[in-house]
Amino acid sequence: MRITMVQRRQTKGKEHQKVFVLDTNVLVHDPAAFLKFPRHQVIIPLPVIEELDGLKKIAGEVGKNARATIRGLCETKFIGKGNLYQGVTLENGSLLRISTEYQHRTELLSTDSNDNKIILTALYLTEKGQRVVFVSKDFAVRLKAEALGLEAGDYEYLKVSYESLTGGCRNITLDKVEIDTFFKEGKLLSEPSAAQPNEYVTLTDGQQSSSMARFD
């Protein structure tokens, strides 16, 4: 199952049709993920906040995204109505809430790990009769959720096709005279097909002459 933009469905008497419970890795992957489910409920279990707090000082992208997520959640009180305990109604019509409740079913899952507490939060909401989707980037965690009868899916909002990515460098065959001109003047008026800004190219005459260049 893939979790992307959620389309609205007509449901009598319910403004928020589904409840999306987000795992920590979703927010580390995309700090704005909690804004990507318009007109639905978005639940962030309290253990997720604890994990983000522990990750915020890590160097690199993980720490940066953890800090961005925490900052974004704090700013929701300025862009929405309500509070994170009872729920903040955002501009896109979604209801964002931090949940402190989870199902104490130790015969199913131990509560020693945050992963399990996050899953048990989704289970608690499900057993209250809500339509819950557990969203995680961790395949093993999704398997555990599905084993408990939960609907679970990956978050793919930012995924792109590998075929659409440039390799960063391409080969271009030119006449030897053009390559000599490039060496002499340091530039060449040419526009490679489908070249990307700042992409590097290898200029070659197909024999002995070659040079590296950058498409400006």
Side-chain angles (χ1 to χ4, degrees):
M1 177 181 178
R2 298 181 177 183
I3 305 299
T4 55
M5 288 293 289
V6 179
Q7 300 297 325
R8 185 174 185 176
R9 296 181 180 178
Q10 298 298 325
T11 304
K12 293 183 180 179
K14 288 189 178 181
E15 182 182 357
H16 307 97
Q17 293 81 30
K18 288 186 178 181
V19 178
F20 291 91
V21 178
L22 306 188
D23 197 1
T24 308
N25 48 54
V26 172
L27 297 168
V28 172
H29 174 74
D30 178 9
F34 61 87
L35 299 173
K36 307 294 176 63
F37 300 88
R39 296 176 296 275
H40 293 267
Q41 288 192 46
V42 179
I43 301 295
I44 299 179
L46 187 60
V48 169
I49 304 299
E50 295 176 348
E51 291 190 333
L52 290 172
D53 187 51
L55 295 172
K56 67 183 182 183
K57 294 183 180 180
I58 294 179
E61 195 74 10
V62 171
K64 176 184 175 183
N65 287 354
R67 294 191 297 273
T69 300
I70 294 171
R71 185 167 56 249
L73 291 172
C74 290
E75 291 174 351
T76 57
K77 62 183 179 181
F78 301 111
I79 63 175
K81 298 179 180 180
N83 59 68
L84 288 173
Y85 174 70
Q86 295 178 324
V88 175
T89 301
L90 303 178
E91 292 179 350
N92 64 1
S94 64
L95 183 70
L96 173 67
R97 185 168 67 86
I98 294 177
S99 175
T100 61
E101 303 167 309
Y102 61 90
Q103 182 58 265
H104 295 268
R105 298 281 294 277
T106 54
E107 76 278 10
L108 298 176
L109 284 179
S110 167
T111 56
D112 293 338
S113 74
N114 279 335
D115 279 349
N116 289 351
K117 289 180 181 178
I118 294 169
I119 295 173
L120 290 171
T121 298
L123 183 63
Y124 173 81
L125 295 170
T126 299
E127 294 185 350
K128 286 183 65 177
Q130 301 195 57
R131 298 176 59 194
V132 176
V133 179
F134 176 66
V135 187
S136 176
K137 300 291 299 173
D138 190 321
F139 184 70
V141 173
R142 294 202 307 271
L143 281 178
K144 288 200 290 185
E146 290 177 357
L148 296 178
L150 292 169
E151 182 179 354
D154 190 5
Y155 178 82
E156 299 191 347
Y157 191 84
L158 294 183
K159 283 192 176 180
V160 296
S161 169
Y162 285 109
E163 289 75 15
S164 67
L165 300 177
T166 175
C169 186
R170 70 178 68 220
N171 296 322
I172 297 179
T173 301
L174 299 175
D175 294 333
K176 186 177 185 303
V177 174
E178 292 179 290
I179 294 180
D180 290 341
T181 300
F182 177 77
F183 275 115
K184 181 179 179 180
E185 300 182 1
K187 61 182 179 180
L188 188 66
L189 295 178
S190 178
E191 186 168 344
S193 175
Q196 301 295 317
N198 299 316
E199 183 176 9
Y200 284 85
V201 297
T202 299
L203 306 178
T204 177
D205 65 352
Q207 298 180 8
Q208 295 181 342
S209 298
S210 65
S211 177
M212 290 294 296
R214 179 173 61 86
F215 177 64
D216 186 353

